[in-house]
Amino acid sequence: MSFDDEPGRGGSGPGHGDDRFSTLGGTRQTRTRLPEPAGDSYGTGRRPPRTSRSLVMVVGVVVLLIAAIAFANRGGDDPGTSPDTTARPGGAGATAATGTKPVTGKNGSIPAGFPQTEEGAQSAAANYAVALGSTGMFNKDTRHQILDAVYTTAAAAKLKAPQDAAYSADFLKRLGLDAEGRTPPGNAFVSRTIPVGTKVQDYGTGSAKVSVWYTGLIGMSGPGSTDPVRTAWKTWTFDLQWSDNDWKIADDTQTDGPAPVPGDIAASSADAISKAVGEYGGFTYAR
């Protein structure tokens, strides 16, 4: 998704004008050349030549550039003057890395043991969005394991029956899966959530409300697929509670977007998508 902007180069400035070819105006004057001191074969007794206007401009520009660079770099030497990268109420959070190490614990295949901080809540929300958007959700056994891992005990117990009804055999069939969520031979089923950013909506000692803006991939890649892999853009908002020394989801909602303008890159073949799914793994996200 990205970018590179480079300022254009102008045709003006020192050395690009006509200063080098300008002449002195006015009336013709007669100059008297004074004799050089004896032994001064290099003319050191002469008056220094006039400095051209172009040279003066070049020197001035260089001095200004040096001063600007020094001013820009001054904040890096003093921690007290370094740029503020903290999130402000109502504003976007910083996108720079915080230096906080990702969690090392796991609950099954899902990261666990997030710190009881705003950053920890954001990391938990991002990783839980990945788990809830994975292919594991299309099989009943693994779905229940995921729900138990990321939701509070009460929320998980409340969700299992409705989730089982939502992932019905008819729904799975429309995606090209069998009743157990298995993929037909020679095909690759794709379901991934890729967080783009997180935002703290509210934070307290034992609770947090965090939104995860993400793009998703879902569909079947393979011969005869009627549900090709496509992308989606959504925002997933989690109400988190501090439970059993970790952040857990108490409730969650989803909304569409924000979605960028689609790019002009041609869709890849089913074979290319299937190969990419097998070769490229996912990540553990930390804020």
Side-chain angles (χ1 to χ4, degrees):
M1 293 176 187
S2 305
F3 12 70
D4 59 89
D5 293 326
E6 184 175 86
R9 296 171 183 254
S12 61
H16 291 281
D18 294 331
D19 291 343
R20 292 174 296 172
F21 309 107
S22 61
T23 57
L24 294 173
T27 59
R28 178 175 298 180
Q29 298 178 357
T30 301
R31 295 182 179 180
T32 302
R33 181 172 178 175
L34 298 176
E36 298 174 0
D40 190 3
S41 59
Y42 297 100
T44 55
R46 298 178 184 174
R47 183 175 58 184
R50 184 188 302 270
T51 303
S52 70
R53 186 165 55 183
S54 294
L55 180 59
V56 172
M57 291 175 67
V58 170
V59 173
V61 170
V62 170
V63 170
L64 289 174
L65 285 174
I66 292 174
I69 293 171
F71 180 81
N73 290 336
R74 185 177 61 182
D77 297 332
D78 181 4
T81 60
S82 60
D84 182 8
T85 59
T86 58
R88 290 175 174 80
T95 56
T98 61
T100 302
K101 294 182 179 180
V103 294
T104 57
K106 281 193 174 184
N107 186 343
S109 61
I110 302 171
F114 298 96
Q116 191 177 5
T117 62
E118 287 192 27
E119 290 180 0
Q122 291 179 77
S123 296
N127 284 282
Y128 293 167
V130 171
L132 292 169
S134 69
T135 56
M137 291 293 291
F138 296 83
N139 173 268
K140 181 177 180 179
D141 292 339
T142 55
R143 179 170 60 250
H144 287 190
Q145 292 173 7
I146 292 172
L147 297 179
D148 287 334
V150 305
Y151 284 89
T152 63
T153 302
K158 184 179 178 181
L159 278 173
K160 286 177 182 177
Q163 289 275 13
D164 291 345
Y167 288 92
S168 65
D170 287 341
F171 172 71
L172 297 176
K173 184 178 180 180
R174 289 199 299 270
L175 295 175
L177 303 170
D178 68 12
E180 300 299 323
R182 291 186 292 257
T183 305
N187 291 264
F189 179 64
V190 184
S191 181
R192 290 194 186 184
T193 297
I194 304 100
V196 176
T198 59
K199 178 182 179 181
V200 176
Q201 303 280 6
D202 192 21
Y203 183 80
T205 304
S207 63
K209 190 181 189 75
V210 179
S211 292
V212 180
W213 179 34
Y214 73 91
T215 183
L217 301 175
I218 188 168
M220 185 73 72
S221 179
S225 171
T226 59
D227 187 46
V229 179
R230 60 196 182 278
T231 59
W233 287 88
K234 293 180 178 291
T235 299
W236 210 333
T237 300
F238 298 99
D239 290 322
L240 302 174
Q241 287 185 2
W242 186 252
S243 176
D244 295 330
N245 294 317
D246 208 350
W247 290 109
K248 299 291 183 179
I249 305 170
D251 197 8
D252 61 295
T253 57
Q254 285 200 68
T255 57
D256 291 335
V261 176
D264 56 0
I265 300 174
S268 300
S269 66
D271 288 343
I273 294 294
S274 298
K275 183 179 180 182
V277 170
E279 291 180 344
Y280 293 90
F283 297 93
T284 297
Y285 291 84
R287 187 65 172 90

